[in-house]
């Protein structure tokens, strides 16, 4: 269980790192979009080669399909709730909604790390890289907006440190749940995370990457997919 927490902190630490980078300097939208595109491709690969594949091996197609539908619906509803209070808009109300948006994206990603550890797979290098990279542009963009709105640097860092901590705890939660349930439920959890991530990618991450990176977004996304797919074969 301690290892799940440690790996969760490592994966989520890029949220704090991204906020710090945003406070140190201004970042071009194209660069942020490029990193976002690479992270999107890496996450797509993780959904295909880590979550869906592992879930099918554990419990077959039915629990994975049910998990996919439930995860997609849960993220859709939660994301709309966050959007209504400004969590997907520029600036937000004092920065808290922006942090809620990052938290909503991070929880299913991080929980899967813990599930992998609990099922004896060990740490997925591909998923770890995908989470770490995809966190950076979201934290940079959001923390930059907070800084421009006049929020003190100390408050920005405190807020993102809290988001990092909660996301790390999600890894621990994923580990604990996977330890307590059977293979069919674990397969459903894999499907749930995959469904949530797919909705996040299509509704939020990929459109933002295209907006910021322009025409190169597709190429960089494929590069991220290829790198993560290669890393999946190392596990």
């Amino acid at each position: 269980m301690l290892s799940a927490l440690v790996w969760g902190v490592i994966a989520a630490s890029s949220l704090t790192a991204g906020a710090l980078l945003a406070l140190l300097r201004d970042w071009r939208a194209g660069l942020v979009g490029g990193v976002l595109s690479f992270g999107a491709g890496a996450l797509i690969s993780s959904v295909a080669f880590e979550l869906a594949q592992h879930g099918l091996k554990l419990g077959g197609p039915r629990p994975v399909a049910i998990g996919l539908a439930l995860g997609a619906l849960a993220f859709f509803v939660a994301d709309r709730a966050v959007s209504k209070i400004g969590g997907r808009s520029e600036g937000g109300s004092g920065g808290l909604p922006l942090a809620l948006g990052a938290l909503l994206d991070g929880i299913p990603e991080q929980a899967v790390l813990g599930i992998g550890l609990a099922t004896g797979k060990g740490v997925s290098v591909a998923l770890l890289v995908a989470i770490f990279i995809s966190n950076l542009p979201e934290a940079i963009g959001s923390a930059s907006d907070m800084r421009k709105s006049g929020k003190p640097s100390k408050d920005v860092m405190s807020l993102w440190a809290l988001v990092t901590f909660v996301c790390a705890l999600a890894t621990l939660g994923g580990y604990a749940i996977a330890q307590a349930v059977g293979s069919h439920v674990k397969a459903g959890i894999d499907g749930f995370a995959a469904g949530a991530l797919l909705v996040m990618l299509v509704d939020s991450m990929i459109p933002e990457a295209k907006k910021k990176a322009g025409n190169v977004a597709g190429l960089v996304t494929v590069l991220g997919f290829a790198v993560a797919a290669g890393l999946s074969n190392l596990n």
Side-chain angles (χ1 to χ4, degrees):
M1 188 169 286
L2 179 61
S3 64
L5 182 59
V6 170
W7 285 112
V9 170
I10 291 172
S13 65
S14 57
L15 288 166
T16 304
L20 180 60
L21 289 171
L23 297 177
L24 292 176
R25 54 162 291 184
D26 291 327
W27 294 86
R28 290 188 299 107
L31 180 60
V32 174
V35 177
L36 201 60
S37 300
F38 188 93
L43 282 177
I44 293 170
S45 174
S46 294
V47 167
F49 298 117
E50 303 287 337
L51 301 179
Q53 191 174 75
H54 183 243
L56 289 170
K57 287 181 180 177
L58 278 176
R62 183 174 296 177
V64 173
I66 293 172
L68 275 166
L70 292 176
L73 182 61
F75 187 92
F76 178 83
V77 172
D79 190 53
R80 291 302 175 274
V82 171
S83 295
K84 286 182 180 179
I85 59 172
R88 299 294 187 188
S89 63
E90 298 287 326
S93 71
L96 180 59
L98 292 167
L100 288 175
L103 192 65
L104 185 62
D105 296 344
I107 285 176
E109 300 170 348
Q110 298 273 155
V112 171
L113 284 177
I115 293 168
L117 287 166
T119 54
K121 281 182 62 185
V123 176
S124 165
V125 177
L127 184 60
L128 186 66
V129 170
I131 293 172
F132 193 92
I133 293 174
S134 64
N135 282 341
L136 282 172
E138 183 163 23
I140 289 172
S142 298
S144 294
D145 288 339
M146 294 179 200
R147 186 188 67 173
K148 290 174 184 176
S149 70
K151 197 171 185 67
S153 297
K154 183 178 71 173
D155 292 348
V156 173
M157 290 307 302
S158 297
L159 187 61
W160 284 97
L162 178 61
V163 173
T164 300
F165 177 71
V166 175
C167 284
L169 287 182
T171 307
L172 198 61
Y175 180 93
I177 292 171
Q179 286 278 62
V181 299
S183 60
H184 282 76
V185 177
K186 291 175 185 175
I189 293 172
D190 278 340
F192 185 95
L197 288 178
L198 285 172
V199 174
M200 182 272 289
L201 283 161
V202 174
D203 283 358
S204 305
M205 198 168 181
I206 292 174
E208 189 69 15
K210 175 65 175 177
K211 177 183 174 182
K212 285 183 163 62
N215 292 332
V216 303
L219 286 173
V220 180
T221 299
V222 173
L223 177 61
F225 182 94
V227 170
L231 290 173
S232 293
N233 291 325
L234 298 178
N235 295 327

